[in-house]
């Protein structure tokens, strides 16, 4: 269910999605409210799960993980327990940036980073080839990141 947001909420959420290091005073100027009103609203956003996390976006290339792969995974059997097991295994893997359970040809779409092709090959052998419930997987190597983000229009 969508949260009940007014124009001030929308301005604040748009601003913090672009830069969550803005001060309450700066946000107040953007939204046209006081610092304390900003703080109350931000607390409500976090308490209600509207803001899920306050994070820093780290350059994968800068930390030695310049390769990105978009991987389609098709499961052999779609039993709930096996799907849940795969979901749990993805949550534990730092190489996996994103994991989506999807409709269509694939059952899951993953975004994976790696330092090089050798490391990705090892990852794919361990995660995909050694899993008897994976029918097939298809890896797409990202040539150029055109846009990446988690901003949501509000």
């Amino acid at each position: 269910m969508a949260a009940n947001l007014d124009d001030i909420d929308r301005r604040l959420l748009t601003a913090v999605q672009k830069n969550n290091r803005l001060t309450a005073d700066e946000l107040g100027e953007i939204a046209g409210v006081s610092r304390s009103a900003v703080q109350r609203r931000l607390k409500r956003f976090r308490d209600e799960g509207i803001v899920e996390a306050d994070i820093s976006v780290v350059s994968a290339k800068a930390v030695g993980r310049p390769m990105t792969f978009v991987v389609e995974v098709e499961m052999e059997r779609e039993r709930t327990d096996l799907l849940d097991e795969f979901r749990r295994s993805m949550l534990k893997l730092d190489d996996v940036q994103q994991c989506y359970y999807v409709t269509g040809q694939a059952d899951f779409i993953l975004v994976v980073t790696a330092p090089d092709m050798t490391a990705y090959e090892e990852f794919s052998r361990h995660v995909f080839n050694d899993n008897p419930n994976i029918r097939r997987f298809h890896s797409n190597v990202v040539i150029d990141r055109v846009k990446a983000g988690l901003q949501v229009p509000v």
Side-chain angles (χ1 to χ4, degrees):
M1 184 171 155
N4 187 17
L5 303 172
D6 62 21
D7 288 341
I8 294 168
D9 291 337
R10 292 178 194 287
R11 285 193 296 269
L12 287 172
L13 288 168
T14 298
V16 298
Q17 285 187 95
K18 292 178 183 172
N19 181 356
N20 74 349
R21 295 189 66 186
L22 294 172
T23 66
D25 288 329
E26 292 168 323
L27 289 168
E29 286 182 34
I30 291 168
V33 295
S34 69
R35 173 194 320 178
S36 60
V38 166
Q39 292 168 332
R40 281 192 304 275
R41 286 173 187 254
L42 290 176
K43 181 180 181 338
R44 178 176 60 90
F45 296 158
R46 290 180 180 101
D47 290 347
E48 293 178 8
I50 297 167
V51 171
E52 294 180 358
D54 293 294
I55 63 170
S56 294
V57 178
V58 175
S59 165
K61 183 184 263 186
V63 296
R65 302 187 70 82
M67 300 201 70
T68 302
F69 303 84
V70 178
V71 186
E72 303 169 38
V73 179
E74 186 179 340
M75 308 304 283
E76 188 68 44
R77 292 170 304 285
E78 294 187 51
R79 287 189 352 226
T80 303
D81 62 324
L82 296 173
L83 293 173
D84 288 345
E85 180 182 324
F86 184 78
R87 283 184 182 106
R88 283 190 300 275
S89 71
M90 293 301 101
L91 291 170
K92 295 176 185 175
L93 296 172
D94 290 337
D95 297 334
V96 177
Q97 286 187 307
Q98 297 175 48
C99 175
Y100 300 96
Y101 180 47
V102 299
T103 61
Q105 182 80 16
D107 295 304
F108 290 90
I109 302 288
L110 311 177
V111 177
V112 178
T113 66
D116 53 39
M117 284 300 291
T118 302
Y120 179 71
E121 181 182 11
E122 184 178 316
F123 169 88
S124 63
R125 282 184 181 184
H126 172 71
V127 174
F128 305 130
N129 292 340
D130 292 349
N131 185 332
N133 195 39
I134 292 180
R135 177 179 295 144
R136 72 168 193 89
F137 70 98
H138 178 81
S139 302
N140 299 282
V141 179
V142 173
I143 295 171
D144 181 30
R145 180 177 73 182
V146 177
K147 180 179 180 181
L150 295 174
Q151 292 183 17
V152 177
V154 289

